[in-house]
Amino acid sequence: MDHAVPTPSNAPTAVAAPRSHAGFLKHNFREYGMFVSLLVIMAFFQVVTDGTLMRPLNLTNLILQNSYIVIMALGMLLVIVAGHIDLSVGSVVGFVGALAAVLMVEYQLNFLLAIALCLLAGAAIGASQGVFVAYFRIPSFIVTLAGMLVFKGLTLALLQGQSVGPFPEAFQRISSGFLPDPFEGGGTRLLSLGLTVAAAAAWVGFKLRGRARQARHGMDTEPYAFFLARTLVFAGLMVTMGWLLSSYRGLPNVLIVMAVLMLAYDFITSRTTLGRRVYALGGNEKAARLSGIDTRRLSFLTFVNMGVLAALAGLVFAARLNTATPKAGVGFELDVIAACFIGGASASGGVGKVLGAVIGAFVMGVMNNGMSILGIGIDYQQVIKGLVLLAAVFVDVYNKNK
């Protein structure tokens, strides 16, 4: 992805001399390291599971199982980049799922209206926490820890300690539905495959255009060999995944939702004034405030955004389970935060990319899925995930101190 943080100076300069390969790797070790790590982890589990990991059915399940983590990671990335944290997202997922169940199952409300109300509830939750963090200057850790407890309790109150379901079939399609394909041929969903190939081609064109634009403005660019390898490998992965999914049931609806959100948030963080200001806020709040940025409003908006995405994840999770349970969302906040840190976000704020957060989420997802296939117990899974998170943060701090 393009760099999200603008260069500190826009003064005219001579065209930057290209970096050496070693120098470029040194300055972008984290970004390339996590991408390579994901490929290595996938290859490892593909081998040790005798090819089970990348089978179309398992690949589809992998996407469905991690969709809500990816969705929340996009919001959590902005919260962390702004210098905050949100521990309440797992409880918000459970609360919104419970609210959706009450509205659709008990009150028989139309599912579209119920979805709109749940997203508004998520925005209100984010706003209520954002007010305390941004305007009353209460540390986000404390505010969202309180929110975690509050919404766990409200979930129990809404459901009265029992599971509520099933949901209307139309609502279930959000998570369990697939893109319809009128051109199915020979067992392959041609529309899904065609869309994936087109998306991969568009990705390559977008990256080539972005590199050409950087060169025209004299900006420092990555060595062409690295650029070409990364772009083609990523496009190849997209086409491969599309082909595998098309040989089963096609593209899941939730994958399309995730792709749209990833593109939107990548554009916001890398191409808009709002996105650049979030990075400035996390990099140095005092300097950002003195430069005229309304830092309180910006912090507030990051929590509103997080509330909406947590609500959307709650709807996706409830649709997948086809029921709302009091235990829904337990521990999700840990996976989401871990995905952001593993994907390159800095614990001190100001650093992080959308693609990195998505890669981090899939690193966690592939590890969970692969270890489950191998029959590794949940106890050792937690140990391994904790060590991976610690290693990722250690690398970040070590590089920063160097």
Side-chain angles (χ1 to χ4, degrees), residues 245-317:
L245 293 174
S246 299
S247 67
Y248 177 53
R249 298 182 63 183
L251 299 179
N253 292 336
V254 73
L255 178 60
I256 298 172
V257 173
M258 284 165 38
V260 171
L261 287 174
M262 284 187 281
L263 291 174
Y265 278 85
D266 180 63
F267 177 81
I268 290 170
T269 55
S270 62
R271 302 299 180 88
T272 67
T273 302
L274 177 64
R276 290 184 172 92
R277 286 179 174 177
V278 172
Y279 284 89
L281 167 63
N284 190 323
E285 182 182 1
K286 185 177 180 180
R289 186 171 65 252
L290 292 176
S291 68
I293 297 174
D294 188 346
T295 55
R296 294 186 301 177
R297 177 174 174 271
L298 212 54
S299 293
F300 172 78
L301 290 177
T302 60
F303 278 93
V304 173
N305 175 71
M306 184 71 257
V308 173
L309 289 181
L312 177 58
L315 293 170
V316 170
F317 186 67

Side-chain angles (χ1 to χ4, degrees), residues 202-276:
W203 162 262
V204 173
F206 174 78
K207 299 302 291 183
L208 288 172
R209 190 164 58 250
R211 181 181 173 86
R213 184 178 61 253
Q214 288 180 328
R216 283 199 307 270
H217 290 86
M219 298 172 64
D220 192 14
T221 57
E222 63 185 315
Y224 189 74
F226 286 103
F227 165 78
L228 190 63
R230 181 177 64 161
T231 303
L232 292 181
V233 167
F234 196 82
L237 283 175
M238 291 175 63
V239 174
T240 302
M241 180 178 291
W243 176 71
L244 291 170
L245 293 174
S246 299
S247 67
Y248 177 53
R249 298 182 63 183
L251 299 179
N253 292 336
V254 73
L255 178 60
I256 298 172
V257 173
M258 284 165 38
V260 171
L261 287 174
M262 284 187 281
L263 291 174
Y265 278 85
D266 180 63
F267 177 81
I268 290 170
T269 55
S270 62
R271 302 299 180 88
T272 67
T273 302
L274 177 64
R276 290 184 172 92

Side-chain angles (χ1 to χ4, degrees), residues 1-25:
M1 292 292 176
D2 294 336
H3 291 292
V5 185
T7 53
S9 172
N10 293 321
T13 59
V15 175
R19 293 182 187 175
S20 67
H21 288 11
F24 180 80
L25 277 179

